[in-house]
Amino acid sequence: RLTAPMRITPEALAQIKTMVPLAPLHNPPALAGIAAVTANLPNLAQFASFDTAFHAGQPKVATTYALPAQLRARGIRRYGFHGLSYASLVATLGDSLPERLLAFHLGAGVSLCAIHNGKSVATSMGYSPLSGPTMATRAGDIDAAAVLRLAAEDGIAATESNLNHRSGLMGLS
């Protein structure tokens, strides 16, 4: 649903809040910023752009997990992230953009994106920014059974915190 820039309205805020599980490191601070601006400048129009939008047109083969239909119907799919970065790259290259491009977003978060004719066709990040290559504080890809074991032994909140905040290069150091 959040595939194009939109004006911040109560409905838009509600939609963004439902997506916090997809981007737990990004959405809460963004929501706090929106709230702070609204509190101080209530008549100022605010707009949001979404990091998953660039990947929204990917073919189903690139976004579908091998799960039963009733689980996929709950929104469990590959969304992809860093789309604002990749969209900027496509716009910057303009006429110099090759037909096929494998792009890398390298920073505290890391992802790869296959781009064909300026459109995302596959990306390394999935349901959340936690998947993909090892990052600064995120584990990256890890076997689901290992996550289930950690959740069973340490609890869901501790496991989420460990995988997002204390893993990756930080966890290896």
Side-chain angles (χ1 to χ4, degrees):
R1 295 174 294 174
L2 305 175
T3 60
M6 66 172 38
R7 187 175 183 155
I8 299 297
T9 64
E11 295 79 21
L13 272 177
Q15 287 183 24
I16 295 168
K17 286 177 184 174
T18 66
M19 298 299 148
V20 167
L22 297 175
L25 301 184
H26 297 83
N27 285 13
L31 289 165
I34 291 167
V37 170
T38 301
N40 290 295
L41 300 164
N43 296 320
L44 180 69
Q46 295 182 70
F47 293 82
S49 295
F50 304 100
D51 215 24
T52 57
F54 183 71
H55 306 295
Q58 287 185 349
K60 285 206 179 285
V61 69
T63 62
T64 303
Y65 285 120
L67 295 171
Q70 65 269 28
L71 298 180
R72 294 192 316 266
R74 292 168 34 194
I76 306 298
R77 55 163 286 202
R78 298 180 65 84
Y79 288 96
F81 294 84
H82 297 147
L84 296 170
S85 175
Y86 294 121
S88 175
L89 174 67
V90 167
T92 299
L93 289 175
D95 292 339
S96 299
L97 179 71
E99 178 184 348
R100 294 171 187 243
L101 176 67
L102 180 59
F104 296 74
H105 176 98
L106 302 174
V110 175
S111 66
L112 293 75
C113 182
I115 300 170
H116 185 250
N117 291 327
K119 307 288 183 197
S120 173
V121 294
T123 184
S124 60
M125 287 186 162
Y127 175 75
S128 78
L130 185 57
S131 63
T134 300
M135 296 168 241
T137 65
R138 294 186 194 118
D141 286 341
I142 181 172
D143 188 297
V147 175
L148 292 171
R149 176 182 169 186
L150 293 171
E153 292 176 2
D154 302 332
I156 293 172
T159 300
E160 184 276 330
S161 182
N162 280 327
L163 293 176
N164 274 304
H165 301 286
R166 289 187 279 287
S167 295
L169 296 177
M170 178 182 281
L172 293 172
S173 65

